[in-house]
Amino acid sequence: MRLCSVRHGSIRDGSIEIAAVILPDRGVALIRDLLPGFTGDVLDVLTTGTADAIEAAALAADASVFRPTDSVTFGAPYRHPRMLWGIGLNYVEHASDLAEGVPDEPASFIKGDHTIIGPGENIPIPWQSIRTTAEAELGIVIGQYCRDVEADDALDYVAGVVPLLDQTAEDILQRNPRFLTRSKNFPGFFSFGPSIVPLSEVFESYDSLADVTVSTMINGAVHRSNTVSNMRYDPAFLVSFHSKIMPLYPGDIISTGTPGAVQVRPGDVAECRIPGIGVLQNPVVAQPR
């Protein structure tokens, strides 16, 4: 069962996002139709541990509750996670593109929830930047409280994975590496969705996360692809490493690094494509000064 949000109304006029689930063989159902009285979002599902009850209700529900996945518009699964971790230079080839070595420890940074957008929403290029890049990445969604865990156990704490696009004002970062936080935290610089895919479903298609391929795409063309096996620090290690720095909570997201960043300009469409997990697209616009 995948977790998602379904958008009611247009983005321009102000849409409402309603928590929903996807059953691959049945379609999309709103959680409020499965659990009467439920009024929360997907983050509430993760923090309250109600996913199993929702799945049981979905499996028992009448077919009339479901609608085809291609008949709905997806939003961001949720808007206000407690923590967004990003990992830089995690693919060896991407580091070499930037004439940098892979760090001896994960090069992590934090983003605010004001950066979040969902599928189809605009990535605005800030007026302060003349070179903004988009980076397709595999996102790891924490499913339960996680502190001081070892890599061998780390995936037990993961709710699922999700496609995402992490944006950078690269020209600002190049002026000084201490400008990383500023370069990563403009509004619209973190898109994720359309759904959170549980690891149990991922492992129906892949022997392990190492076999997953992530592609950064621009205007329908592949810019750069790579497999998770070519990460310097794999997802289990990243969960373990960061759990030893601070507690990880349900809904926290770790963005695991990109196979390649692509410069985006107004009129472009940036895309993250991960076979078996999802496709995330966002148009690019100029931010008015």
Short mmCIF file of all heavy atoms in Angstrom, two decimals, residues 12 30 44 92 147 161 192 195 204 234-235 237 255 259 263:
data_model
loop_
_atom_site.label_atom_id
_atom_site.label_comp_id
_atom_site.label_asym_id
_atom_site.label_seq_id
_atom_site.Cartn_x
_atom_site.Cartn_y
_atom_site.Cartn_z
N ARG A 12 -3.38 26.96 -8.82
CA ARG A 12 -3.46 28.42 -8.91
C ARG A 12 -4.51 28.98 -7.94
O ARG A 12 -4.29 30.02 -7.30
CB ARG A 12 -3.81 28.83 -10.35
CG ARG A 12 -4.06 30.33 -10.51
CD ARG A 12 -4.29 30.70 -11.96
NE ARG A 12 -3.12 30.43 -12.78
CZ ARG A 12 -3.05 30.69 -14.09
NH1 ARG A 12 -4.10 31.21 -14.71
NH2 ARG A 12 -1.96 30.42 -14.75
N LEU A 30 -9.42 7.58 -0.64
CA LEU A 30 -9.17 8.56 0.41
C LEU A 30 -9.21 7.85 1.77
O LEU A 30 -10.10 7.03 2.02
CB LEU A 30 -10.22 9.67 0.38
CG LEU A 30 -10.36 10.46 -0.93
CD1 LEU A 30 -11.42 11.55 -0.78
CD2 LEU A 30 -9.03 11.06 -1.36
N ASP A 44 0.43 12.34 9.71
CA ASP A 44 -0.29 11.80 10.86
C ASP A 44 -0.35 10.28 10.82
O ASP A 44 -0.28 9.61 11.86
CB ASP A 44 -1.71 12.38 10.93
CG ASP A 44 -1.72 13.85 11.28
OD1 ASP A 44 -0.95 14.26 12.16
OD2 ASP A 44 -2.49 14.59 10.65
N VAL A 92 29.88 8.64 -6.69
CA VAL A 92 31.27 8.93 -7.03
C VAL A 92 31.36 9.70 -8.34
O VAL A 92 32.12 10.67 -8.46
CB VAL A 92 32.09 7.63 -7.11
CG1 VAL A 92 33.51 7.92 -7.57
CG2 VAL A 92 32.10 6.92 -5.76
N ARG A 147 16.98 5.94 16.80
CA ARG A 147 18.10 6.56 17.50
C ARG A 147 19.18 5.51 17.74
O ARG A 147 18.90 4.44 18.27
CB ARG A 147 17.62 7.16 18.82
CG ARG A 147 18.72 7.76 19.69
CD ARG A 147 19.35 8.98 19.07
NE ARG A 147 20.24 9.67 20.00
CZ ARG A 147 21.26 10.43 19.63
NH1 ARG A 147 21.53 10.60 18.34
NH2 ARG A 147 22.02 11.03 20.53
N VAL A 161 10.11 4.63 0.33
CA VAL A 161 10.95 5.50 -0.49
C VAL A 161 10.07 6.32 -1.41
O VAL A 161 8.91 5.98 -1.67
CB VAL A 161 11.97 4.68 -1.31
CG1 VAL A 161 12.94 3.95 -0.40
CG2 VAL A 161 11.27 3.68 -2.23
N PHE A 192 8.67 16.43 -3.65
CA PHE A 192 8.62 14.98 -3.50
C PHE A 192 7.22 14.46 -3.75
O PHE A 192 6.24 15.17 -3.61
CB PHE A 192 9.20 14.53 -2.16
CG PHE A 192 8.30 14.65 -0.95
CD1 PHE A 192 7.96 13.53 -0.21
CD2 PHE A 192 7.85 15.89 -0.51
CE1 PHE A 192 7.17 13.63 0.92
CE2 PHE A 192 7.07 16.00 0.63
CZ PHE A 192 6.71 14.85 1.35
N SER A 195 4.05 9.38 -4.48
CA SER A 195 3.62 8.51 -3.38
C SER A 195 4.82 7.91 -2.68
O SER A 195 5.93 7.83 -3.24
CB SER A 195 2.71 7.38 -3.91
OG SER A 195 3.41 6.52 -4.79
N GLU A 204 9.55 -6.41 -4.20
CA GLU A 204 8.88 -7.28 -5.16
C GLU A 204 9.49 -7.13 -6.55
O GLU A 204 9.42 -8.06 -7.37
CB GLU A 204 7.39 -6.96 -5.23
CG GLU A 204 6.62 -7.31 -3.96
CD GLU A 204 5.18 -6.87 -4.02
OE1 GLU A 204 4.77 -6.33 -5.08
OE2 GLU A 204 4.45 -7.04 -3.02
N ASP A 234 25.32 3.97 1.34
CA ASP A 234 24.02 3.45 0.94
C ASP A 234 22.93 3.90 1.91
O ASP A 234 23.21 4.44 2.99
CB ASP A 234 24.06 1.94 0.79
CG ASP A 234 24.27 1.18 2.10
OD1 ASP A 234 23.98 1.74 3.18
OD2 ASP A 234 24.73 0.02 2.04
N PRO A 235 21.64 3.72 1.54
CA PRO A 235 20.55 4.22 2.38
C PRO A 235 20.59 3.71 3.81
O PRO A 235 20.34 4.47 4.75
CB PRO A 235 19.30 3.75 1.64
CG PRO A 235 19.71 3.75 0.20
CD PRO A 235 21.14 3.27 0.22
N PHE A 237 23.19 2.81 5.61
CA PHE A 237 24.25 3.51 6.33
C PHE A 237 23.82 4.93 6.66
O PHE A 237 24.09 5.42 7.77
CB PHE A 237 25.53 3.53 5.50
CG PHE A 237 26.66 4.24 6.17
CD1 PHE A 237 27.53 3.57 7.02
CD2 PHE A 237 26.86 5.62 5.98
CE1 PHE A 237 28.56 4.24 7.66
CE2 PHE A 237 27.89 6.29 6.62
CZ PHE A 237 28.74 5.60 7.46
N SER A 255 17.29 12.68 1.79
CA SER A 255 17.50 12.74 0.35
C SER A 255 18.90 12.23 0.06
O SER A 255 19.89 12.85 0.47
CB SER A 255 17.32 14.19 -0.11
OG SER A 255 17.48 14.30 -1.49
N PRO A 259 22.47 11.35 -9.00
CA PRO A 259 23.42 10.89 -10.02
C PRO A 259 23.95 12.03 -10.87
O PRO A 259 24.99 11.88 -11.53
CB PRO A 259 22.60 9.91 -10.85
CG PRO A 259 21.18 10.34 -10.66
CD PRO A 259 21.11 10.86 -9.24
N GLN A 263 21.21 22.05 -14.93
CA GLN A 263 20.76 23.44 -14.84
C GLN A 263 19.36 23.56 -15.42
O GLN A 263 19.05 22.99 -16.48
CB GLN A 263 21.70 24.39 -15.58
CG GLN A 263 21.29 25.85 -15.44
CD GLN A 263 22.26 26.82 -16.08
OE1 GLN A 263 23.25 26.43 -16.67
NE2 GLN A 263 21.98 28.11 -15.95
#
